[in-house]
Amino acid sequence: HITPEKFYVEACDDGADDVLAIDRVSTEVTLTVKKDVPPSAVTRPIYGILGTIRLVAGTYLIVITKKKKVGEIFSHAIWKATDFDILSYKKTMLHLTDIQLQDNKVFLSMLSHVLSVDGFYFSTTYDLTHTLQRLANTSPEFQEMSLLERADPRFVWNGHLLREFAAQPEIHRFAMPVMHGFITMHSCSINGKCFDWLLVSRRSCFRAGVRYYVRGIDSEGHAANFVETEQIVHYKGSKASFVQTRGSIPFFWSQRPNLKYKPKPQISKSVNHMDGFQRHFDSQIISYGKQMIVNLVNQKGSEKPLEQTFAKMVNSMANGMVRYIAFDFHKECSRMRWDRLQILMDQLAEQQDEFRLDKEMSVHTTKGFLKKKSNLLSSNCMDCLDRTNVIQSLLARRSLQAQLQRLGVLHVGQRIEEQADFEKIYKNAWADNANACAKQYAGTGALKTDYTRQVSLSCKSQPSGTGKRTQWGLIMDGWNSLIRYYKNNFSDGFRQDAIDLFLGNYSVDEVEPASPLHVQKDWKFLALPIIMVVAFSMCIICLLMAG
């Protein structure tokens, strides 16, 4: 309910009488009741509060205006937020100068850009930020906490926007943690036995950003493009969970865009890599237990120093909880020899079997490495997108095979790839997961998804030297690569700024005299265009006046 003085947010639960009153002048947030809402207020439905943010014009309230039901997890409804609105506390913009108005417009466009990226999910009754394994090992006190208090801060994308709500426990029920990533749910049947199969990818908001602007780790050990992917099976009250993670290679390196198709990675020489590296794996071990790292980067060319440094640092750390396997994905699978992925699967089979527990299975994957909870498989590579997704889908399939046999869904000797209906669901879900993660990080759909949509775990059954890639898949990979090149070089700066603003890595100062949006460029930025124009003009003149 909107009035010139306040926003009134009414709870629509059955029997609820609470109303959140937000003062548009003082920004004070209090609780009141329905009878206090003025009849003259303009009323509209919303589905949740994303939070508040300060821009040049003052404070703004961000609300969810459209939602789409994804499905249910254990009878809890899960929603995707599909549209948002940004409401100004100020009733007029007359207090702003023309420059301030323009700056405010740019900041609003940044927020709108972040909110336009698909993949914001929430639930009013279920904690989406934690895996089943973490939720199964919680105290009664934890269960009684509000969703905002108990949420894993790594995966709460509106944590900064909700900071003022977090300071007031009495209004926590109006503050919903929202995760960013991908969720799909399917009711499946094999051998006449019905079960629920879910795939959940949670994107970390720590060291978040876009492809070439955010690489490696920060001083706290947070890896760029860190995504936790959980595969859940629910059958007759029994639950099985398999967790993998992916993330950038965990030391200090960069790969800034410079118009080259593939900029050369630069390993920092001015910092102590081991401090951040150690923090990263300390955190991983606390969260997931033993770590099995699978490094998928090229072992020659510009990626070779990254693989060598990674292996050297794991050896130097000498931690028995961390194991390391390097697999040159592009070399081994060159000329579409996808059957050679079985080499890696055979290497990992023993480790994955060792990681299997009676009540839980967990695997962590980053582009190039694998980890696990209580034992985790973690994969690392350059982008943690295309190569990583292929490997993660194979590992998840192997785990699912064992889980469904243990639950009694699959008979002894049966294989998942023989179940045509479920196979189609499985392959498409993992390909959709790849596309979602790629669009959020690189700005385009994933590469190699034609392989993911067709891949069979029994790679040995494929003739040597052949693969499951299609001509159309290769064309689409080329198109996506071209789009990535353009975005990475010419539009990702804006995308990175937008993410930093949304997550609170940059805060707008209303009284700051010099806006970062108006940086004066010196003559060096004009030199190359001027030289090019003069050279082109002289060329045309010479052609026209050759005589």
Side-chain angles (χ1 to χ4, degrees):
H1 307 285
I2 303 172
T3 71
E5 295 78 28
K6 292 184 178 181
F7 296 124
Y8 295 93
V9 182
E10 175 190 340
C12 295
D13 307 74
D14 293 337
D17 192 48
D18 289 336
V19 172
L20 192 71
I22 304 174
D23 194 298
R24 297 177 67 175
V25 178
S26 67
T27 71
E28 182 183 11
V29 182
T30 56
L31 277 179
T32 183
V33 291
K34 292 181 182 178
K35 64 182 180 62
D36 292 336
V37 179
S40 60
V42 178
T43 300
R44 57 182 295 189
I46 64 169
Y47 299 104
I49 297 175
L50 203 65
T52 62
I53 190 169
R54 294 187 69 83
L55 301 180
V56 179
T59 305
Y60 284 80
L61 177 70
I62 307 176
V63 295
I64 301 170
T65 56
K66 290 182 182 179
K67 66 178 182 178
K68 176 183 177 183
K69 190 171 183 178
V70 179
E72 293 187 359
I73 296 181
F74 317 125
S75 300
H76 297 278
I78 308 301
W79 305 91
K80 176 192 278 191
T82 57
D83 202 6
F84 306 84
D85 203 357
I86 306 172
L87 307 173
S88 175
Y89 280 35
K90 301 289 186 181
K91 297 183 284 290
T92 176
M93 298 292 168
L94 295 176
H95 61 293
L96 300 180
T97 66
D98 289 344
I99 293 178
Q100 288 176 322
L101 274 172
Q102 185 61 34
D103 288 352
N104 198 67
K105 186 177 179 181
V106 173
F107 287 129
L108 282 172
S109 69
M110 288 181 179
L111 293 179
S112 297
H113 174 79
V114 174
L115 296 172
S116 70
V117 177
D118 193 41
F120 288 100
Y121 298 88
F122 68 95
S123 173
T124 57
T125 57
Y126 186 78
D127 186 352
L128 283 175
T129 66
H130 288 287
T131 63
L132 273 186
Q133 298 163 13
R134 289 196 289 269
L135 292 175
N137 294 293
T138 55
S139 64
E141 293 78 21
F142 179 88
Q143 298 289 343
E144 305 220 347
M145 296 166 74
S146 69
L147 289 177
L148 182 60
E149 287 178 293
R150 60 188 270 184
D152 188 331
R154 294 180 300 168
F155 306 120
V156 181
W157 268 66
N158 59 334
H160 170 70
L161 303 179
L162 291 176
R163 64 201 181 285
E164 294 181 6
F165 289 76
Q168 298 178 249
E170 69 274 12
I171 64 173
H172 277 189
R173 58 187 176 278
F174 284 90
M176 294 185 309
V178 174
M179 61 156 274
H180 197 215
F182 176 78
I183 299 179
T184 188
M185 307 178 187
H186 298 276
S187 294
C188 309
S189 178
I190 295 178
N191 296 325
K193 299 173 182 177
C194 297
F195 61 95
D196 293 326
W197 180 78
L198 300 83
L199 191 62
V200 182
S201 283
R202 306 173 180 93
R203 190 179 178 205
S204 175
C205 60
F206 297 150
R207 194 153 176 77
V210 296
R211 191 182 181 205
Y212 283 144
Y213 282 87
V214 179
R215 296 293 211 194
I217 56 173
D218 60 19
S219 58
E220 299 300 315
H222 300 130
N225 196 27
F226 183 89
V227 179
E228 176 187 84
T229 299
E230 181 178 23
Q231 178 177 264
I232 299 171
V233 179
H234 183 214
Y235 175 64
K236 288 186 176 180
S238 297
K239 306 167 187 174
S241 168
F242 182 72
V243 180
Q244 305 183 74
T245 66
R246 65 179 76 185
S248 189
I249 295 176
F251 49 81
F252 299 99
W253 63 283
S254 61
Q255 195 179 16
R256 303 294 285 198
N258 58 5
L259 295 184
K260 291 184 179 179
Y261 178 73
K262 191 174 182 181
K264 185 178 180 180
Q266 302 291 332
I267 300 174
S268 177
K269 298 178 181 178
S270 60
V271 295
N272 185 341
H273 292 278
M274 189 54 73
D275 286 346
F277 190 81
Q278 187 74 55
R279 286 192 183 95
H280 174 77
F281 281 104
D282 286 348
S283 174
Q284 286 296 101
I285 291 169
I286 290 172
S287 298
Y288 304 103
K290 289 182 181 178
Q291 306 287 297
M292 169 52 66
I293 305 168
V294 179
N295 190 344
L296 302 173
V297 301
N298 299 342
Q299 295 177 24
K300 63 178 183 179
S302 62
E303 296 181 14
K304 181 178 179 180
L306 296 175
E307 192 282 322
Q308 291 177 327
T309 303
F310 198 174
K312 182 180 178 181
M313 293 186 71
V314 171
N315 290 333
S316 300
M317 188 169 60
N319 188 330
M321 298 285 283
V322 180
R323 303 180 194 175
Y324 177 89
I325 290 178
F327 181 80
D328 190 332
F329 187 101
H330 286 151
K331 176 185 175 183
E332 296 293 343
C333 301
S334 63
R335 298 191 296 279
M336 299 197 294
R337 294 178 301 171
W338 299 99
D339 55 292
R340 294 184 63 80
L341 287 173
Q342 192 63 39
I343 296 172
L344 177 60
M345 293 299 106
D346 292 342
Q347 283 183 280
L348 296 174
E350 183 180 344
Q351 307 294 340
Q352 195 172 355
D353 291 340
E354 180 185 325
F355 287 175
R356 194 172 298 141
L357 307 177
D358 290 338
K359 294 184 180 178
E360 66 181 19
M361 297 183 189
S362 161
V363 178
H364 170 92
T365 313
T366 16
K367 207 165 190 178
F369 72 95
L370 269 90
K371 309 171 185 178
K372 173 183 187 303
K373 169 178 181 127
S374 244
N375 296 315
L376 178 83
L377 294 170
S378 167
S379 309
N380 300 89
C381 67
M382 298 300 290
D383 300 321
C384 311
L385 297 176
D386 314 314
R387 289 172 276 188
T388 296
N389 199 74
V390 170
I391 298 304
Q392 283 197 341
S393 65
L394 292 174
L395 289 167
R397 184 199 294 271
R398 192 172 188 278
S399 173
L400 186 62
Q401 173 81 33
Q403 289 171 335
L404 292 179
Q405 284 182 342
R406 186 176 308 174
L407 292 170
V409 175
L410 282 177
H411 300 151
V412 176
Q414 275 191 315
R415 301 199 61 81
I416 290 177
E417 52 264 36
E418 297 166 357
Q419 317 305 317
D421 291 341
F422 179 74
E423 263 292 276
K424 184 177 180 180
I425 292 172
Y426 181 90
K427 295 168 183 173
N428 286 327
W430 272 98
D432 292 342
N433 177 68
N435 280 329
C437 292
K439 286 176 182 176
Q440 290 159 12
Y441 186 56
T444 72
L447 312 184
K448 305 178 180 70
T449 51
D450 60 312
Y451 175 76
T452 306
R453 293 187 194 277
Q454 300 184 49
V455 68
S456 165
L457 184 61
S458 300
C459 296
K460 288 177 179 176
S461 66
Q462 298 179 20
S464 178
T466 67
K468 288 285 186 177
R469 298 225 63 186
T470 64
Q471 293 287 347
W472 178 248
L474 291 172
I475 292 171
M476 287 306 300
D477 279 4
W479 174 252
N480 280 331
S481 295
L482 185 64
I483 298 299
R484 278 188 190 180
Y485 173 81
Y486 174 81
K487 288 190 172 184
N488 295 161
N489 282 283
F490 302 110
S491 65
D492 274 0
F494 179 86
R495 291 176 63 215
Q496 183 64 53
D497 290 343
I499 292 171
D500 286 335
L501 176 67
F502 186 86
L503 296 177
N505 299 329
Y506 172 79
S507 297
V508 176
D509 188 345
E510 294 178 57
V511 297
E512 185 179 14
S515 168
L517 302 177
H518 300 284
V519 178
Q520 292 295 323
K521 291 181 170 65
D522 62 23
W523 65 270
K524 287 183 289 186
F525 288 90
L526 298 174
L528 184 59
I530 291 173
I531 292 172
M532 292 296 291
V533 168
V534 171
F536 181 74
S537 301
M538 293 302 294
C539 179
I540 296 298
I541 291 171
C542 289
L543 289 173
L544 295 176
M545 303 177 65

